[in-house]
Amino acid sequence: MTILSPTSIDEAVAALADPAIQVLAGGTDFMVEVNAGHRRPDKVLSLRHIPELRTWEQLPARDDPAHVRLGATVTYTDMLQPDLAQLLPALAHAARTVGSPQIRNAGTIGGNLATASPAGDTLPVLAALEAVVEVASPLGVRDIPVATFITGPKRTALSPGELIVAVRLPLLDGHQEFRKIGVRNAMVIAVASLALAVDTRTRTVRCALGSVGPGPIRATEAEEWLAGTIDWDRPAATTEAPDLAYFGRLVAGAAQPIDDHRGTAAYRRHAIGVLAERAAAQAFGAGSAA
Amino acid sequence: MTDPYSLTVNGTDHQVVDAWLGESLLYVLRERLGLPGSKAGCEQGECGSCSVIVDGSLECACLILAAAAVGCDITTVEGLQPGRGDFTTVQEAFIAEGAVQCGFCTPGLVVALTDLLARVPHPSDLEVREAISGNLCRCTGYGRILAAAQAAAKAASDE
């Protein structure tokens, strides 16, 4: 067994010329499999010592809208720091619900994408914001929209020899939030989760669901319906309770849940509707501030 | 056999020789470096009993590939203790408040609370609860651990 610990992205990408190499980021999934004997890597590429992968930057409005570019090994704890959290509030909400302090200090945005668990906590946020995944290989760099990056449960569009380098997320103008249901607040895998993001500039609502399908699901019919009911000149506190409930039903209809040891499909469909109704109430209901 | 590598633990460089490179930091600490303070509970990041501080950040040693932690500054529960028998403020508070029953989770909790108090000298109960939310204790019901956290914060500010 060999372990490579490069200190630059270029070195890491060069190492990927060997298709047998396995990429190790925060280790919160990878090492669980190694410890249990389910993964016996022959060659490991550790990203721990690549400082440039752990940085983020706000890209100026040369792009429209402005973006934040997160390096692949930005951790959940990094996402909770105030300067980043105020730019990407729904991502910070999601990061706060991940595991425990120990897990949030280790786990990374790139790892959440590469693992592609149906319950990955940041994935609904990335889907709602229409984030773009930057992928590098010895052949070059390509952009993959999150919607096509996740191809199924624990399956991605990454080819052998490709490394997630960064994720780009647009900065929207409006209310954002993330909600999650599990058996308790800490150390819990989502039974259902939801991200809602309002963009007052384009007058759109984006809503994506987690843990109720093979990957994150955009509730597009519900999004368009809600956007059509809002008085965009004065969006706060303009949506009535029956409309919020109807939005919840539309979102529930978009879910594709299954029964498993964490919950039944029926429970998940009900729960995701409740999460949607509450999130929309926070954004547009009485007392809201969108 | 594989090449030896070196880990910096509690300020000392340790050679790890003839080890399988897939070993976790937890395994290497306990079985190769003679540092059994970090406990092997779940080995999947759920219980926090193996909590260590790596480059200033609280992490589970079971989720770190040891050979990939070369060059990192690793502190274990043993490294918090200036000399054997000389307890830290947090450890004294655990004893005084009766926060230890079977003791298996105690080292991880001591490391987690030491990390918290270094960042937040006067934490609220909610901050303490969140800080130890990744550390499972099946004996105490946590009440005396919360009391110990507050006692340690007070003792540190009185010093």
Side-chain angles (χ1 to χ4, degrees):
Chain A
M1 181 173 169
T2 54
I3 299 175
L4 298 178
S5 293
T7 55
S8 73
I9 294 174
D10 287 348
E11 283 174 80
V13 169
L16 291 166
D18 181 347
I21 207 154
Q22 297 190 21
V23 176
L24 170 65
T28 57
D29 293 310
F30 190 110
M31 287 303 292
V32 172
E33 294 171 13
V34 171
N35 291 342
H38 298 148
R39 185 197 278 257
R40 295 280 294 195
D42 188 35
K43 294 168 186 157
V44 174
L45 176 64
S46 164
L47 306 181
R48 185 180 275 273
H49 294 293
I50 308 178
E52 56 187 312
L53 275 182
R54 179 90 188 263
T55 60
W56 65 272
E57 61 183 332
Q58 187 173 346
L59 300 175
R62 130 180 99 74
D63 305 302
D64 187 30
H67 280 72
V68 168
R69 182 179 184 274
L70 299 178
T73 61
V74 164
T75 66
Y76 302 109
T77 299
D78 296 335
M79 297 172 215
L80 289 172
Q81 300 314 303
D83 43 358
L84 190 49
Q86 70 173 10
L87 294 173
L88 299 168
L91 190 67
H93 286 181
R96 184 95 187 268
T97 73
V98 172
S100 63
Q102 289 90 330
I103 302 300
R104 293 196 285 273
N105 285 343
T108 67
I109 187 92
N112 212 211
L113 276 163
T115 296
S117 162
D121 285 318
T122 68
L123 303 182
V125 180
L126 299 179
L129 295 182
E130 297 175 358
V132 172
V133 187
E134 287 181 30
V135 165
S137 76
L139 303 174
V141 179
R142 65 176 176 135
D143 282 349
I144 310 175
V146 161
T148 51
F149 182 87
I150 310 269
T151 56
K154 302 201 169 183
R155 288 202 306 272
T156 71
L158 274 181
S159 300
E162 283 189 320
L163 177 72
I164 300 170
V165 176
V167 184
R168 293 198 310 276
L169 303 99
L171 293 175
L172 305 186
D173 225 351
H175 181 81
Q176 290 188 10
E177 67 180 75
F178 173 82
R179 287 173 181 256
K180 168 174 164 179
I181 286 182
V183 289
R184 65 182 187 120
N185 282 336
M187 293 306 304
V188 78
I189 296 173
V191 174
S193 65
L194 176 141
L196 184 83
V198 178
D199 191 18
T200 55
R201 272 174 310 198
T202 56
R203 301 193 161 187
T204 54
V205 175
R206 292 102 165 282
C207 180
L209 324 179
S211 278
V212 292
I217 295 171
R218 281 288 290 276
T220 48
E221 186 191 350
E223 291 175 356
E224 286 164 18
W225 181 83
L226 185 58
T229 68
I230 291 160
D231 174 1
W232 284 101
D233 293 322
R234 200 174 57 86
T238 56
T239 305
E240 303 291 332
D243 284 346
L244 298 172
Y246 185 67
F247 175 68
R249 287 199 294 280
L250 286 177
V251 167
Q256 302 163 26
I258 58 167
D259 291 329
D260 71 9
H261 58 289
R262 278 192 287 276
T264 63
Y267 174 77
R268 287 187 155 104
R269 193 181 293 284
H270 173 75
I272 200 77
V274 172
L275 292 184
E277 187 177 339
R278 289 180 184 166
Q282 197 69 32
F284 302 115
S288 64
Chain B
M1 288 299 110
T2 54
D3 292 337
Y5 61 93
S6 177
L7 292 179
T8 308
V9 184
N10 302 329
T12 305
D13 288 344
H14 296 264
Q15 287 291 115
V16 183
V17 294
D18 293 343
W20 176 54
L21 292 181
E23 289 167 0
S24 71
L25 176 61
L26 174 63
Y27 183 88
V28 170
L29 290 171
R30 292 179 55 82
E31 307 297 336
R32 301 196 181 278
L33 303 185
L35 294 167
S38 308
K39 299 302 176 206
C42 68
E43 296 183 70
Q44 51 183 332
E46 295 273 344
C47 77
S49 295
C50 66
S51 296
V52 295
I53 296 171
V54 179
D55 292 338
S57 159
L58 183 73
E59 294 191 34
C60 292
C62 70
L63 298 181
I64 296 172
L65 186 64
V70 174
C72 295
D73 184 11
I74 300 158
T75 302
T76 70
V77 68
E78 292 93 340
L80 304 176
Q81 190 174 288
R84 203 164 269 282
D86 182 3
F87 291 128
T88 67
T89 307
V90 172
Q91 288 167 324
E92 296 281 11
F94 267 63
I95 296 166
E97 296 294 330
V100 180
Q101 285 189 24
C102 90
F104 194 84
C105 69
T106 308
L109 278 160
V110 166
V111 175
L113 286 172
T114 302
D115 172 68
L116 171 68
L117 294 174
R119 290 179 289 109
V120 186
H122 300 287
S124 66
D125 250 7
L126 199 60
E127 287 172 312
V128 174
R129 284 172 188 270
E130 184 159 8
I132 63 170
S133 61
N135 293 79
L136 297 182
C137 173
R138 302 290 78 160
C139 304
T140 65
Y142 300 98
R144 288 170 186 242
I145 294 168
L146 297 174
Q150 295 303 339
K154 184 170 185 308
S157 65
D158 289 347
E159 274 169 13

